[in-house]
């Protein structure tokens, strides 16, 4: 599903040119962690990354979107936090907390640890990349928010990053699992003293970070996650497909 010419997809914010090589972050300056584990309890226990909608797995939608933004945003290594049963494309690294099922925060720590040894597909000589984008496989349009999130994070160097906001009013939520963070600060929060946290709530942990919150409509739309089969069918239908086509590969 990799486009022949990487470019910002329709619906994504157009990034301002920064860094080197015409990219926002400079080549390889932004690592990516995609969370694709968990139990899929609200989907009846199926493997959430392997759910197929609009003709592809949810995980593949996210990875193809990331690849399309590699050159414009200066993205480097990509790590997917998922068990061995979840197939990954060549060139995408795998990580998993040990023992498994430690929750998203433990998964983030495992992903960051794997990313620390990688810089644009090669062993890093100068330590971790300065910025890390965080996404989840159950938000298949999440990559569309990355240009705006990256610019927001760079525009506020004194802050710890930028995250998406979903919903409005009483339904407003800070989506800490869709954001661009300063890698060192994120690592310090999810693995204080180098010891990864386990079985802790995402909001309770990551709210310790000082982040810019983006609530523009395009970011809200991109943050939509698919937690239930009804969510999956609705997203399938919104893409022009029959609502009953969603399945598991």
């Amino acid at each position: 599903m990799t486009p022949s010419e990487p470019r910002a997809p329709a619906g994504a914010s157009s990034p301002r040119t920064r860094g080197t090589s015409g990219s926002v972050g400079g080549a390889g300056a932004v690592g990516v962690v995609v969370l694709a584990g968990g139990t899929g309890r609200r989907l009846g226990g199926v493997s959430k990354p392997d759910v197929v909608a609009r003709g592809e797995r949810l995980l593949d939608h996210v990875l193809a979107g990331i690849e399309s933004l590699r050159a414009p945003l200066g993205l480097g290594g990509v790590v997917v936090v998922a068990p061995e049963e979840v197939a990954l494309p060549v060139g995408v690294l795998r990580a998993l907390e040990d023992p498994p099922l430690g929750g998203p925060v433990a998964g983030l720590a495992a992903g960051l640890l794997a990313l620390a040894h990688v810089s644009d597909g090669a062993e890093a000589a100068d330590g971790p990349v300065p910025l890390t984008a965080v996404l989840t496989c159950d938000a298949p349009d999440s990559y569309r928010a990355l240009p705006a999130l990256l610019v927001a994070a760079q525009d506020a160097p004194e802050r710890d990053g930028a995250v998406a906001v979903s919903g409005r009013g009483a339904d407003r939520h800070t989506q800490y699992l869709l954001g661009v963070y300063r890698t060192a600060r994120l690592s310090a929060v999810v693995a204080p003293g180098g010891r990864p946290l386990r079985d802790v709530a995402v909001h309770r942990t990551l709210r310790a970070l000082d982040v810019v919150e983006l609530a523009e409509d395009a970011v809200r739309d991109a943050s939509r996650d698919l937690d239930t089969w009804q969510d999956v069918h609705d997203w399938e239908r919104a893409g022009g497909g029959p609502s009953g086509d969603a399945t598991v590969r």
Side-chain angles (χ1 to χ4, degrees), residues 121-134:
E123 288 295 319
D126 301 319
V129 290
L131 294 171
T132 298
V134 176

Side-chain angles (χ1 to χ4, degrees), residues 9-195:
S13 303
S14 297
R16 298 197 294 273
T17 300
R18 294 197 184 166
T20 60
S21 305
S23 60
V24 174
V30 186
V32 182
V33 174
V34 181
L35 297 178
T39 61
R41 179 177 56 84
R42 296 178 68 188
L43 287 170
V46 304
S47 172
K48 189 177 286 189
D50 292 320
V51 169
V52 176
R54 300 189 188 178
E56 297 289 348
R57 297 186 307 163
L58 296 184
L59 177 58
D60 291 329
H61 284 291
V62 176
L63 293 177
I66 290 169
E67 189 62 31
S68 73
L69 292 169
R70 179 175 296 280
L73 299 190
L75 303 182
V78 177
V79 175
V80 172
V81 181
E84 290 291 337
E85 295 78 13
V86 177
L88 300 182
V90 174
V92 174
L93 300 176
R94 185 190 309 275
L96 190 64
E97 68 273 20
D98 185 19
L101 299 178
V105 173
L108 257 180
L112 288 168
L113 182 62
L115 201 59
H117 301 291
V118 178
S119 178
D120 203 19
E123 288 295 319
D126 301 319
V129 290
L131 294 171
T132 298
V134 176
L135 307 90
T136 59
C137 72
D138 60 353
D141 288 324
S142 55
Y143 66 91
R144 297 182 184 276
L146 289 185
L149 290 168
L150 180 54
V151 168
Q154 292 180 320
D155 280 348
E158 75 285 0
R159 311 285 291 274
D160 295 328
V163 299
V165 169
S166 65
R168 292 176 174 80
D171 293 326
R172 185 184 191 278
H173 296 287
T174 304
Q175 296 289 353
Y176 288 107
L177 297 184
L178 177 51
V180 174
Y181 295 94
R182 290 190 161 70
T183 304
R185 286 291 298 131
L186 181 60
S187 297
V189 168
V190 301
R195 297 177 62 87

